[in-house]
Amino acid sequence: RTSSKKINDIKSGKISVEQLERERELEEREKAEAAAAKAKRLADIERRRVEREAKEKVEEHARWWEGADVLYPIDNDEVLDDSVQNSHGETAQDIAMRKYENDYGRWSTWTPSDPASLEEQQEAEKRKTEKENAEFEKNNKDFCDNFIQDQKKREKSNAKKDETAGGKRLKGNRYFKARKFDEALKLYRESLAVRPYEKATLLNVAQVYLKKRAWDDALEFCHRAVRIGRRGGADFHAKALSRRATAYSSRKSKGDLREAVNDLKKAMALLQESESKASQQSLTLIMEQFAQAKQALRDEASESIVEEKVNTLPPPPPKKSKEEESAELLKQLQELATKDDPLGEMLKENGDGDSLRAVEEAIKEACGDDALPKLAGALRSSPDARVLCRVRGGVSVLLRRLGAEPLSDAGAIDQIETGGFDLDDAAAVDVDAPARDVTRVEEAKAGLVLSALAAAVREEPKSKVVAIDGGALAIAVKYLADMSAGSAAEARAAACELCAELAGSDGAAPQAVQALLKNDAILAHLSRCCGAGAAAFSSKAAAALRLPKAAGAAHASRCLRDLAAVNHTPLLSVEPCVVETLGALMRGASRLKPTPPGEDLLGAIGNPDVLCSAIAGEAVGYACFGLAHLAKDAKARKRFGVAVTNDAAATPIGVCVAVAADAKHATDTRGAALVAAANACFACAEATAACEAAGGVAETFKLLKSKCNHEVKARAAGLLARLTTAPGSRGAATLRSAPGAPASLAQAAAAAAARTDEWAAIERDNVVRALAGVLQGKDTTPETIHEFLKRKGYELVLAQLPDPKRDLGSITAQSVCQTPSHPPSANCAGNAAKIVLSALNSSDAEVRGAVADTLIKREGLERLVCALANYKEITVRKNCAVTLAKAMAARPAAKERVRELRGIEMITTLGDKLTS
């Protein structure tokens, strides 16, 4: 109606257009002023709310800690807990009061502490209290009745409070599981309003704040939980310290990581003396957290050092033309050719300005295609460059160039069984990191990006976790699945390298290793790459065509080796079978002559044949170590005897024997091959039969007689001992039938006993064990024993028993009981006695007499008595005692000597232990 009137007034000329416009402006100004006034009122309300909450927070903080000082006091950083007594019946408060012992004014308050006096005092106090209570209740009946009623009301009220607080906490837990953190926090705070010192609720509030990334609030409630935890038992106290360490590690202010490490040290100290299963499980988790915190502290220090280096970098040199760069590179290569270790000289200047500058420039260019080769070289040669790459976000940039998407659950919080919640290990994704525009790489150049990414995570645990949370495994699966040739083969090899670096034990990241072990697709692809590499090494195609598959196989076998060292179980269900593909890779790669490390480096540049040979040696080594780990599992051992053909040498265990026997391979490779074979033969008839058919007995015997490395000899002795003592094995019979073989083993044992290197004792023990398997049993004929005697084998065997000490040059009953200077191991002594005992059990009386005579002439009796007196192992003592008894039965002179040494007395004293 008003609008129509104004229209009529305008038509009639009563109101001008200008006047109408002024009214409209006035109306809009009034509305704006009203809106501004309303916004101001709302802002004032919000400001007062914030101020009120801040004030309430300060008041609540002061009120809580005042109460904590009363309820949970601290003296010298320790709670004076009067509920726990030591072995003398003293509480913490009693111990603290010792500082008043010299206060003469307190002597009048002394009370006797002997049990009789204390019992009398307690009885007197009890009678006095009962009398006083009865008299008080009689004189104050109404007061006492009212007091009892009030007490019941208080108990009922407290029970209701406990029920309310517990109910709200449990309801808060349900909201937390649903990831409704604000609702969970509200319920937890309501629960604390009723029971402010409830330890479990305090920890849950801290965890909610951790999830909300409110680090300071999380630390506040962790501090409270730690204070309460001092009286909450070692398990809860350790858990509170662990939670606070998580908060410190997450906040990452200056000095926080150091505080986290200190808290975890205290937590471990609290749990180390506990024997409960729950405490030991918690200790294991805290030890893992401690290792991560220590690594984070080292990362922080290295990042600080690298940042300082970057800030002090000199200005870059002027750019040179391509001709000048080529001439300078040629000059450097010529200089390297004169060095003894060209590779070491090339990589000696780790972390130099060129590497750091290359990383800075590459990341500024969003890791463009032109910068990738130089970036990869800098990352491979410089640990500082890898740190800088992570700090500058280079790992994430490389992943995004490959099209990776971060995991949706990175940084999640999981509930733990003991109550409350704990952060998992996936907390490395920095959601606050600035995003950078990048260009998706072309598929033909994906191998360059993957190679740079693999170099970026090398020996860098933090970078590995960033890569895992950034979707690196999904990218690896994508490129591993493409079995095409050309650039796809290069990308596949680079993907294998990335997996190998993520699994690497140098700078290990448990989260990365576990993620790989849980990814069945990656494990299957890695196994296929090993099989493809075996075919590539065996192929007659040009080396340039074989090189990508060969390199991929070497990286894949390295990854499988490191994963098997952590947990071999997931690898056993992979198809194709990892044991068989690694065995095939060893067989194919071992046909090439490996290039020794550092040899002909300049010739390898651009020479695929030399590179293939160098890669072949590495692949064989990785595969050998991987098989050694896998052979620990009974399920895997049976696959060691499976051959693609009927040729036993083509089985994985047959290939291990062949590699061990080939001197062209590195020492650690040959040793690993022998360990793999020995592990596979443990309680596995199929693998043992395959090893024997592949010539395992003959080859290991040759190694013992050769002049090869001591480690190889020791490992060979271990495999030979396994083959000669395994049930159903023909290894012992093979050596018995070989003329002079038992005597050669005795000589090998004597040679090992004369050495002092780290492998001598291992070789000695295994050789003696193998010899015991050869000369023990029904198949040992008198002719074999005569031959062994003729070659002075038993004299060498007696030398494997302890050498008794002497008294004025003679062995007496007293000196024989003294601890020998360098006694052999119990296994060695027991097996040596068993060898002699086998001969004394012969059906040929002449043989028994000859062996007994050797014992008498070569101080064998004295050595056996010395072993009987000094070893605690009952099996060793039993072997020695029975051997002495057989010798005494064969020769009366032996009985007299044993009696002189009080050996008969020792045997009698042992009694039933020897016959049980």
Side-chain angles (χ1 to χ4, degrees):
R1 187 182 304 169
T2 304
S3 300
S4 61
K5 182 181 178 181
K6 286 185 177 181
I7 292 172
N8 293 331
D9 289 343
I10 293 173
K11 289 180 178 179
S12 62
K14 291 182 179 180
I15 300 177
S16 65
V17 176
E18 291 79 7
Q19 185 180 356
L20 183 63
E21 183 65 25
R22 285 195 298 271
E23 290 180 359
R24 189 183 63 79
E25 291 177 355
L26 178 61
E27 184 180 352
E28 290 181 353
R29 187 163 56 249
E30 290 175 350
K31 287 182 179 179
E33 290 175 353
K38 182 178 179 180
K40 183 179 180 181
R41 288 196 305 272
L42 292 176
D44 289 340
I45 293 172
E46 178 64 19
R47 178 180 54 77
R48 288 194 297 270
R49 185 189 67 80
V50 172
E51 291 176 352
R52 184 179 68 254
E53 290 181 354
K55 181 180 179 182
E56 290 174 353
K57 185 176 181 180
V58 172
E59 292 174 349
E60 189 272 341
H61 171 88
R63 187 168 57 251
W64 193 94
W65 285 102
E66 286 175 1
D69 289 338
V70 175
L71 297 172
Y72 302 93
I74 295 181
D75 183 18
N76 293 329
D77 202 36
E78 294 294 336
V79 177
L80 300 182
D81 190 351
D82 57 0
S83 64
V84 180
Q85 296 181 346
N86 60 16
S87 58
H88 301 291
E90 295 177 313
T91 66
Q93 291 181 345
D94 294 332
I95 296 171
M97 293 300 289
R98 287 180 184 168
K99 60 185 178 181
Y100 298 111
E101 286 180 352
N102 292 330
D103 184 357
Y104 303 148
R106 297 176 58 86
W107 286 11
S108 60
T109 63
W110 176 84
T111 55
S113 59
D114 60 284
S117 299
L118 290 175
E119 186 176 357
E120 292 176 1
Q121 183 178 359
Q122 291 172 359
E123 286 294 331
E125 290 178 353
K126 182 179 179 182
R127 289 193 298 269
K128 181 180 179 181
T129 303
E130 290 176 351
K131 182 179 179 180
E132 290 176 349
N133 289 343
E135 185 176 352
F136 183 84
E137 291 177 6
K138 181 179 178 181
N139 297 332
N140 302 275
K141 187 175 186 305
D142 294 339
F143 173 81
C144 291
D145 292 341
N146 292 333
F147 180 83
I148 292 173
Q149 291 178 3
D150 290 341
Q151 185 179 19
K152 290 180 179 179
K153 288 180 181 179
R154 286 195 300 271
E155 290 175 353
K156 187 175 181 180
S157 175
N158 288 335
K160 186 176 181 179
K161 286 182 179 180
D162 289 338
E163 183 179 356
T164 301
K168 288 185 179 295
R169 181 173 65 85
L170 294 175
K171 190 175 180 181
N173 287 352
R174 290 195 293 272
Y175 274 110
F176 191 97
K177 293 177 186 178
R179 307 183 71 80
K180 297 180 179 180
F181 303 117
D182 291 331
E183 291 87 344
L185 180 60
K186 180 181 177 183
L187 288 165
Y188 289 149
R189 297 304 297 262
E190 291 176 359
S191 175
L192 287 177
V194 180
R195 285 284 181 264
Y197 298 99
E198 179 59 40
K199 57 186 182 181
T201 312
L202 289 170
L203 271 187
N204 284 1
V205 172
Q207 195 65 11
V208 173
Y209 279 126
L210 283 174
K211 184 60 181 175
K212 291 167 67 69
R213 303 173 68 82
W215 312 129
D216 292 335
D217 290 329
L219 271 172
E220 166 64 22
F221 281 88
C222 285
H223 290 320
R224 297 184 184 189
V226 169
R227 171 65 75 90
I228 304 300
R230 295 173 184 275
R231 284 193 177 182
D235 287 343
F236 180 83
H237 193 186
K239 181 180 176 182
L241 288 166
S242 172
R243 184 68 49 80
R244 188 167 70 176
T246 300
Y248 275 129
S249 300
S250 301
R251 190 175 68 169
K252 296 180 182 177
S253 296
K254 185 176 180 180
D256 278 354
L257 288 175
R258 177 67 61 187
E259 292 292 339
V261 169
N262 292 337
D263 275 349
L264 292 171
K265 286 181 179 178
K266 295 176 184 177
M268 290 188 293
L270 286 169
L271 296 177
Q272 281 176 346
E273 296 182 359
S274 176
E275 297 180 356
S276 69
K277 185 177 180 180
S279 296
Q280 292 304 310
Q281 290 175 345
S282 299
L283 179 59
T284 301
L285 295 174
I286 291 175
M287 289 175 68
E288 293 176 1
Q289 186 182 2
F290 177 73
Q292 294 174 10
K294 290 274 286 184
Q295 182 62 48
L297 191 61
R298 288 193 291 269
D299 290 339
E300 184 182 57
S302 62
E303 290 169 7
S304 176
I305 293 171
V306 169
E307 195 69 39
E308 183 179 352
K309 287 183 178 180
V310 171
N311 293 334
T312 57
L313 278 178
K319 289 188 176 181
K320 301 178 181 178
S321 64
K322 291 185 177 180
E323 292 77 9
E324 291 174 335
E325 290 181 352
S326 300
E328 185 176 350
L329 178 60
L330 180 61
K331 182 180 178 182
Q332 291 175 355
L333 293 177
Q334 290 173 348
E335 292 177 354
L336 284 173
T338 63
K339 305 292 183 181
D340 294 333
D341 183 10
L343 181 62
E345 293 292 333
M346 182 180 292
L347 302 180
K348 187 167 64 175
E349 295 298 329
N350 285 344
D352 59 5
D354 291 340
S355 297
L356 297 176
R357 192 176 291 111
V359 173
E360 285 276 33
E361 293 174 354
I363 295 176
K364 286 180 181 178
E365 299 173 8
C367 299
D369 294 345
D370 295 337
L372 287 174
K374 194 171 183 180
L375 173 63
L379 293 173
R380 282 194 173 87
S381 64
S382 170
D384 288 346
R386 295 194 285 271
V387 172
L388 182 62
C389 182
R390 181 184 70 246
V391 173
R392 295 290 191 263
V395 176
S396 299
V397 172
L398 291 169
L399 286 168
R400 289 166 59 203
R401 287 218 64 195
L402 293 165
E405 296 182 1
L407 302 182
S408 59
D409 60 346
I413 296 180
D414 295 330
Q415 185 180 11
I416 60 174
E417 296 180 357
T418 54
F421 306 88
D422 274 340
L423 283 170
D424 65 9
D425 292 333
V429 174
D430 188 356
V431 298
D432 296 330
R436 190 188 305 270
D437 293 332
V438 298
T439 304
R440 182 79 175 266
V441 70
E442 298 176 8
E443 291 299 318
K445 298 181 179 179
L448 292 174
V449 183
L450 284 165
S451 182
L453 181 59
V457 301
R458 176 181 293 179
E459 300 178 6
E460 284 292 326
K462 197 172 180 179
S463 298
K464 293 178 183 179
V465 177
V466 171
I468 290 293
D469 286 339
L473 294 191
I475 292 297
V477 170
K478 172 186 173 182
Y479 289 101
L480 286 172
D482 188 352
M483 301 302 292
S484 307
S487 61
E490 295 174 358
R492 188 168 60 252
C496 289
E497 182 185 8
L498 174 59
C499 293
E501 295 298 348
L502 290 172
S505 56
D506 293 332
Q511 181 184 340
V513 173
Q514 294 305 320
L516 285 165
L517 287 170
K518 293 177 182 177
N519 197 312
D520 295 335
I522 280 187
L523 298 180
H525 286 310
L526 291 173
S527 183
R528 291 190 188 95
C529 286
C530 289
F537 281 119
S538 305
S539 173
K540 295 182 179 180
L545 299 177
R546 295 184 284 127
L547 190 57
K549 288 185 177 180
H555 292 309
S557 59
R558 176 160 65 101
C559 181
L560 293 172
R561 174 203 66 177
D562 291 334
L563 293 177
V566 176
N567 183 6
H568 56 263
T569 303
L571 303 180
L572 302 180
S573 58
V574 171
E575 289 296 336
C577 175
V578 175
V579 173
E580 295 175 15
T581 55
L582 287 178
L585 176 61
M586 286 174 59
R587 191 180 187 204
S590 61
R591 294 177 179 176
L592 299 180
K593 180 181 179 181
T595 303
E599 180 179 308
D600 199 18
L601 177 66
L602 299 180
I605 298 177
N607 188 334
D609 291 304
V610 177
L611 286 176
C612 268
S613 296
I615 292 171
E618 293 182 358
V620 172
Y622 298 145
C624 285
F625 279 98
L627 289 175
H629 292 302
L630 291 169
K632 298 175 184 177
D633 190 276
K635 180 181 176 182
R637 292 180 200 134
K638 296 182 179 180
R639 307 302 291 264
F640 274 78
V642 177
V644 180
T645 64
N646 292 327
D647 183 8
T651 62
I653 199 169
V655 176
C656 287
V657 171
V659 168
D662 194 342
K664 72 182 180 184
H665 294 291
T667 296
D668 57 349
T669 297
R670 300 172 72 188
L674 289 165
V675 170
N679 289 346
C681 290
F682 177 72
C684 182
E686 296 88 345
T688 302
C691 187
E692 291 176 349
V697 175
E699 294 297 342
T700 51
F701 183 69
K702 289 179 184 177
L703 288 173
L704 286 176
K705 294 177 65 178
S706 69
K707 296 182 179 180
C708 64
N709 181 272
H710 293 324
E711 177 185 355
V712 176
K713 280 191 174 185
R715 300 302 189 191
L719 176 57
L720 186 61
R722 185 65 50 83
L723 293 174
T724 55
T725 57
S729 169
R730 296 296 302 164
T734 301
L735 290 178
R736 269 197 303 270
S737 61
S744 296
L745 289 177
Q747 292 168 2
R755 301 201 320 262
T756 58
D757 57 89
E758 58 179 327
W759 298 103
I762 299 174
E763 180 183 347
R764 178 187 189 183
D765 290 355
N766 285 321
V767 170
V768 174
R769 181 185 170 203
L771 186 57
V774 171
L775 295 179
Q776 185 184 5
K778 299 178 181 179
D779 296 334
T780 305
T781 63
E783 290 75 17
T784 302
I785 299 175
H786 271 299
E787 176 70 18
F788 197 59
L789 270 170
K790 182 179 179 181
R791 295 177 181 269
K792 298 184 178 181
Y794 286 105
E795 296 180 17
L796 297 174
V797 169
L798 292 176
Q800 310 312 314
L801 290 165
D803 186 14
K805 288 191 174 182
R806 285 160 172 74
D807 187 3
L808 299 178
S810 301
I811 301 175
T812 64
Q814 289 75 28
S815 67
V816 80
C817 295
Q818 297 177 11
T819 304
S821 300
H822 301 287
S825 69
N827 288 334
C828 181
N831 284 319
K834 191 184 295 185
I835 294 170
V836 179
L837 177 59
S838 177
L840 291 172
N841 281 330
S842 174
S843 57
D844 191 329
E846 183 180 351
V847 167
R848 296 197 301 271
V851 173
D853 289 338
T854 302
L855 289 174
I856 296 170
K857 294 177 182 177
R858 298 298 179 182
E859 295 184 348
L861 299 174
E862 289 81 357
R863 289 176 178 267
L864 287 167
V865 173
C866 180
L868 183 64
N870 287 283
Y871 287 102
K872 296 180 180 180
E873 292 77 6
I874 192 62
T875 53
V876 178
R877 303 178 83 180
K878 184 176 181 178
N879 287 346
C880 293
V882 176
T883 304
L884 286 169
K886 295 286 185 178
M888 289 187 290
R891 289 289 187 266
K895 186 174 183 179
E896 289 298 323
R897 182 55 178 157
V898 174
R899 180 182 287 112
E900 291 176 5
L901 299 172
R902 303 180 68 177
I904 297 177
E905 183 179 340
M906 295 180 195
I907 297 173
T908 305
T909 303
L910 289 173
D912 295 337
K913 292 183 180 180
L914 297 177
T915 58
S916 60

